[in-house]
Amino acid sequence: MKSILKHHLVYTNIAIFYLIVSFLTRIILLFHPITQSKFSGLEILKIFGFGLVSDLFIFVFVGAILWLYLMFLSNSKFKKPYGYIILGVFVALLIYILSGKSILSEYGGVLPEIGIAFVSLKTIFFAALLFTEKFRKQIRLALFSLTIFLFVLLIIQNAVSEFFFWNEFGVRYNFIAVDYLVYTNAVIGNIMESYPVVPLFASVGILSFAATYIIIIKSKSYLENLPNFSNKLKIIGVQLLLLVSALFILPAITSQQNSSNVFANELQSNGLQKFYKAFTNSELDYFEFYETLPEEELAEFEAIVNMNYKNNTNNITSEGTEIKKNVVLITVESLSEEFMKHYGNQNNITPFLDQLAEESLFFTNLYATGNRTVRGLEAVTLCLPPTPGESVVKRKDNKNKFTTASVFNSKGYTSKFLYGGDAYFDNMQDFFGGNGYDIVDKSSLKPNEISFSNIWGVCDEDMAKKAIQVMNEEAKTGKPFFNHWMTVSNHRPFTYPEGKISISGTAKSREGGVMYTDYALKQFFEMAKKQAWFKNTVFVIVADHCASSSGKTELPMDKYRIPAFIYAPGFIQPQKIDKLVSQIDVMPTVLGILNFKYQSKFFGKDVLKTNYIPRAFIATYQDLGYIKDDILTIISPQKKVKQFDLIQQKNETLGTEYSIFYEEKQKTKIDVKLKKETIAIYQTASHILKTKKYEKLNR
């Protein structure tokens, strides 16, 4: 046991440092001005007692990375021939990544550069340790010191982050912290503008260097007497025992966060544990962080919300006879309106879609609800406004909802979700499979049906051919079908088959991705026109979201505007709709065109009805926006509200129906009516989801 403790010296010293920092963090948060609460003696004991146990076992998980690093420290691996074999493996791996044909290169972005940098450093350092035995101790000490410094820096940086998060929200990490990882640029900009960055980071750096120096002085004897294989097995056994214990102890400790005092529960918890929970749960409680209205006041907005707070069903009627045409919904990956010629693009990268738009019911002023695929899928499937946190698609409670498929299925349709990638990605298989869709994804294609694939799946052409095959089989059954196809090719790494378009797939350019998807859609429609079912089918084409979401304001409108059109030659007359429209209105409009009569829970509305009131919803994971009457209202956590006047920017080169670019100028005086209207909509949507009132209707 003594030898095991000796060989746990480094791990133990860093664990003690982490526990001290966590203890000091609790004290600082306890006495923070925002912690406006009194605590009983029992609550104080639980805060620091249970808090200490939580911290200890959280470190058991986080520290596993450290002890894995320590276990691989060895002198024997540099002996012949092992050292040369290991070096050869590193060199081969580096050559593989440099070849440009690795999985990292397939995905694209900065991943290949990160991979090259990491493997290069590992190769260089291993070679230095292998060939310079005389300086091996010094090199190893330098690398050891760097590793300890990184751990210490992360511990201190986490404590500082927890302080600022508490300073803003009065809680430990929640889904907003996860959101901050997604919107890193905006967060860094906010920090740069809000805090004295140079003194802050300088202080963190000085503390980290000082703590690292102390830990190394107390721990470097570990390097002089590395554990042998037998001792390493014992250490691994102890660590595994601690990990297994943590799996049982942490849930028991968490269950003790049961005080009626919210601050007591938050202080007792561990920030990293809460971050992990937020990351896996993907939800943010609207009623905890956003401004709300009394239930009696919500009644004033029922007509606007299109929903009653308690009874959330509407009777959709039509004077015409129901038309049981097939419906094919195509959500196109990252298709910003700015790619189309109609909105001023001169590069001719969407020639087919530009032509198809002229032959369709074309919504020229339509906005996506979010900036992720799962948010777009939520909008056209559930037809409800975005709610705080992650899309419903990725939540645990995502099945048996009221969806477009549930309406079609009630009318005798078969419903399918088609996706060129693996449907398990982004929880799509769980969501669509649990909501009345049959799934056709990459796994459904035979090897001879795949001409090209990348990290995201088969190219859009391959999936277009599969879609035609699937629809031909469906047509033979005599039942109408509703199929939802999600494209994949207009996504990083933007690779696709060569020789199809004028931009090479090796260029890995966004414009190439857009042009190839446009080309693939043209091939799909050329094939579809040859099928017997084509004339009895309504095609709906809409982007899932824009290609980019960053801008000057929290919710830059031009980063949410997307094209959408409904195409059915001989059935739907070409027309341009320049009303303000939301992505959640697309499918209710299609159902209206088909004269469907049904009980609805949709927040989305039929845009073609005379009583339609133009408005749109745009959001991030936490900023919820509502566009109406040339004003953008944004509600945010901490019960914040902002409003912007939307000042139209004229563009003489565009038609009036496409000249819809705005400057967002913040209002100094809040329009109270629009503020309450915004709150009423998002509060109602959040309430209905939370109370499980958006479930499929039993028939």
Side-chain angles (χ1 to χ4, degrees):
M1 180 60 71
K2 186 176 180 181
S3 64
I4 293 176
L5 290 174
K6 180 178 69 175
H7 293 311
H8 262 72
L9 188 62
V10 185
Y11 182 88
T12 304
N13 286 335
I14 294 182
I16 291 170
F17 177 72
Y18 174 72
L19 294 176
I20 291 171
V21 171
S22 297
F23 176 77
L24 293 174
T25 301
R26 275 196 178 84
I27 291 177
I28 292 169
L29 299 184
L30 180 68
F31 290 101
H32 192 288
I34 205 172
T35 313
Q36 299 176 355
S37 179
K38 293 181 179 180
F39 302 94
S40 68
L42 178 61
E43 285 174 333
I44 293 293
L45 285 173
K46 290 178 70 176
I47 286 171
F48 290 100
F50 286 134
L52 175 65
V53 178
S54 293
D55 296 340
L56 176 61
F57 283 98
I58 286 298
F59 184 80
V60 167
F61 281 112
V62 178
I65 301 170
L66 176 63
W67 68 260
L68 278 175
Y69 160 74
L70 294 172
M71 290 301 95
F72 279 101
L73 292 180
S74 169
N75 289 319
S76 60
K77 67 183 178 184
F78 295 109
K79 295 178 180 179
K80 293 180 181 180
Y82 307 116
Y84 294 96
I85 294 172
I86 294 170
L87 181 60
V89 171
F90 278 131
V91 171
L93 182 60
L94 182 58
I95 292 171
Y96 169 65
I97 298 174
L98 287 170
S99 70
K101 296 179 180 179
S102 70
I103 192 170
L104 300 179
S105 297
E106 189 175 336
Y107 181 76
V110 298
L111 276 182
E113 287 78 9
I114 293 173
I116 290 168
F118 178 75
V119 178
S120 295
L121 288 172
K122 288 290 291 183
T123 305
I124 291 168
F125 289 138
F126 188 86
L129 289 164
L130 178 64
F131 295 119
T132 58
E133 186 175 354
K134 183 179 178 181
F135 301 103
R136 188 174 293 166
K137 286 185 178 180
Q138 292 89 329
I139 296 171
R140 178 176 278 160
L141 178 60
L143 295 176
F144 176 78
S145 301
L146 176 61
T147 303
I148 299 302
F149 172 75
L150 291 175
F151 266 90
V152 169
L153 178 64
L154 288 173
I155 289 169
I156 294 176
Q157 186 60 53
N158 175 66
V160 172
S161 299
E162 284 212 61
F163 170 80
F164 285 118
F165 197 82
W166 188 277
N167 188 61
E168 187 171 357
F169 300 105
V171 294
R172 297 278 196 170
Y173 295 139
N174 55 30
F175 194 79
I176 299 174
V178 180
D179 185 31
Y180 281 176
L181 283 184
V182 177
Y183 298 98
T184 308
N185 291 339
V187 174
I188 291 175
N190 182 49
I191 291 171
M192 296 289 285
E193 292 176 5
S194 304
Y195 301 105
V197 175
V198 174
L200 178 63
F201 286 150
S203 300
V204 169
I206 292 169
L207 283 171
S208 298
F209 276 114
T212 300
Y213 178 77
I214 295 170
I215 291 172
I216 289 172
I217 293 297
K218 291 181 173 292
S219 309
K220 69 177 182 179
S221 60
Y222 177 85
L223 297 180
E224 298 167 2
N225 186 25
L226 292 173
N228 57 30
F229 184 72
S230 175
N231 281 329
K232 284 184 177 181
L233 287 178
K234 292 175 183 177
I235 293 169
I236 291 171
V238 171
Q239 290 296 150
L240 291 176
L241 181 62
L242 287 171
L243 284 169
V244 172
S245 299
L247 291 173
F248 291 96
I249 292 173
L250 279 173
I253 293 294
T254 302
S255 68
Q256 296 303 310
Q257 296 167 18
N258 51 15
S259 172
S260 58
N261 185 335
V262 175
F263 285 114
N265 293 330
E266 292 292 332
L267 289 167
Q268 182 183 324
S269 64
N270 178 280
L272 293 177
Q273 184 183 10
K274 291 208 66 178
F275 183 90
Y276 174 77
K277 183 179 178 182
F279 186 82
T280 54
N281 287 344
S282 303
E283 292 184 43
L284 185 63
D285 192 339
Y286 179 93
F287 298 90
E288 182 178 352
F289 292 101
Y290 294 80
E291 188 168 343
T292 58
L293 296 176
E295 193 170 320
E296 58 272 14
E297 196 168 349
L298 287 170
E300 301 175 20
F301 300 97
E302 283 182 11
I304 298 294
V305 175
N306 196 34
M307 198 67 59
N308 181 288
Y309 202 70
K310 291 183 177 179
N311 180 23
N312 59 312
T313 57
N314 289 308
N315 188 33
I316 305 299
T317 60
S318 174
E319 294 181 1
T321 304
E322 289 190 345
I323 305 168
K324 299 287 184 69
K325 285 185 176 289
N326 306 312
V327 176
V328 175
L329 166 63
I330 305 174
T331 43
V332 184
E333 174 68 51
S334 304
L335 185 67
S336 304
E337 44 79 22
E338 64 187 23
F339 296 140
M340 295 185 66
K341 186 177 180 180
H342 291 83
Y343 295 93
N345 192 298
Q346 300 301 311
N347 297 324
N348 196 34
I349 57 176
T350 58
F352 173 69
L353 290 176
D354 286 326
Q355 174 191 335
L356 193 69
E358 292 297 319
E359 302 169 4
S360 305
L361 186 66
F362 184 11
F363 299 97
T364 64
N365 192 13
L366 185 142
Y367 290 83
T369 59
N371 42 38
R372 293 291 182 274
T373 295
V374 287
R375 191 62 90 182
L377 295 177
E378 172 191 83
V380 296
T381 303
L382 298 176
C383 307
L384 85 168
T387 47
E390 187 57 272
S391 161
V392 175
V393 175
K394 296 190 73 173
R395 298 181 190 178
K396 291 179 181 178
D397 180 26
N398 67 356
K399 299 177 183 66
N400 297 313
K401 300 298 180 189
F402 185 80
T403 66
T404 48
S406 64
V407 176
F408 281 112
N409 292 346
S410 72
K411 301 294 181 181
Y413 282 64
T414 59
S415 297
K416 286 184 172 62
F417 176 67
L418 297 88
Y419 180 62
D422 294 309
Y424 70 81
F425 177 74
D426 262 348
N427 216 37
M428 288 186 281
Q429 182 167 320
D430 189 53
F431 174 74
F432 285 101
N435 283 292
Y437 294 79
D438 294 324
I439 294 174
V440 179
D441 68 354
K442 181 181 177 180
S443 64
S444 305
L445 277 72
K446 299 174 183 176
N448 64 352
E449 293 176 321
I450 301 175
S451 66
F452 181 93
S453 65
N454 63 17
I455 194 73
W456 288 108
V458 303
C459 63
D460 286 343
E461 271 182 285
D462 288 345
M463 203 60 204
K465 293 173 185 175
K466 186 65 176 179
I468 295 295
Q469 181 188 113
V470 167
M471 294 173 203
N472 284 342
E473 290 300 314
E474 288 177 308
K476 292 177 183 178
T477 67
K479 285 186 175 183
F481 56 79
F482 165 57
N483 289 334
H484 179 174
W485 171 25
M486 178 73 223
T487 72
V488 300
S489 291
N490 183 29
H491 196 298
R492 191 175 300 280
F494 308 118
T495 56
Y496 39 83
E498 288 295 318
K500 304 292 184 175
I501 59 173
S502 59
I503 301 174
S504 171
T506 60
K508 297 183 179 179
S509 72
R510 166 70 74 179
E511 286 195 344
V514 174
M515 184 180 282
Y516 175 72
T517 290
D518 182 81
Y519 169 84
L521 289 173
K522 181 180 180 182
Q523 304 310 305
F524 170 76
F525 277 94
E526 286 181 353
M527 289 186 286
K529 287 177 181 178
K530 297 175 183 178
Q531 312 307 320
W533 47 261
F534 175 78
K535 291 183 179 180
N536 193 40
T537 303
V538 174
F539 298 90
V540 186
I541 301 94
V542 60
D544 61 343
H545 58 82
C546 281
S548 170
S549 61
S550 59
K552 294 180 180 178
T553 61
E554 292 95 329
L555 298 174
M557 287 180 58
D558 58 317
K559 302 300 183 181
Y560 288 82
R561 191 180 303 112
I562 57 173
F565 24 93
I566 304 173
Y567 173 71
F571 176 60
I572 296 176
Q573 293 300 312
Q575 182 185 355
K576 292 182 178 62
I577 307 293
D578 60 2
K579 300 174 186 175
L580 178 64
V581 176
S582 173
Q583 196 176 25
I584 72 172
D585 300 319
V586 172
M587 293 312 294
T589 302
V590 172
L591 297 174
I593 290 172
L594 297 175
N595 295 327
F596 275 16
K597 305 171 184 66
Y598 60 102
Q599 286 291 311
S600 173
K601 294 189 177 186
F602 295 147
F603 283 70
K605 300 181 181 181
D606 182 348
V607 173
L608 303 180
K609 290 284 180 67
T610 55
N611 62 350
Y612 173 74
I613 301 173
R615 84 283 175 267
F617 309 93
I618 59 178
T620 63
Y621 291 110
Q622 58 172 313
D623 293 318
L624 309 175
Y626 180 60
I627 308 167
K628 187 182 179 187
D629 298 337
D630 292 326
I631 294 174
L632 168 61
T633 304
I634 302 174
I635 58 175
S636 305
Q638 282 191 298
K639 300 177 173 38
K640 292 179 181 177
V641 179
K642 283 185 180 180
Q643 284 184 336
F644 296 85
D645 285 313
L646 303 176
I647 304 169
Q648 189 170 7
Q649 305 298 292
K650 297 294 182 181
N651 188 330
E652 301 300 331
T653 63
L654 299 179
T656 55
E657 62 267 52
Y658 307 110
S659 185
I660 45 177
F661 299 87
Y662 299 92
E663 174 192 351
E664 297 178 20
K665 185 177 180 181
Q666 188 166 353
K667 293 175 69 69
T668 55
K669 186 178 180 181
I670 295 291
D671 183 316
V672 177
K673 182 177 180 298
L674 274 177
K675 168 191 164 181
K676 288 187 175 183
E677 196 169 306
T678 305
I679 293 169
I681 292 169
Y682 284 113
Q683 182 179 337
T684 302
S686 298
H687 167 76
I688 285 172
L689 284 173
K690 187 174 184 177
T691 56
K692 301 184 184 301
K693 292 184 178 179
Y694 212 75
E695 311 304 289
K696 180 176 67 174
L697 292 169
N698 295 319
R699 299 182 184 280

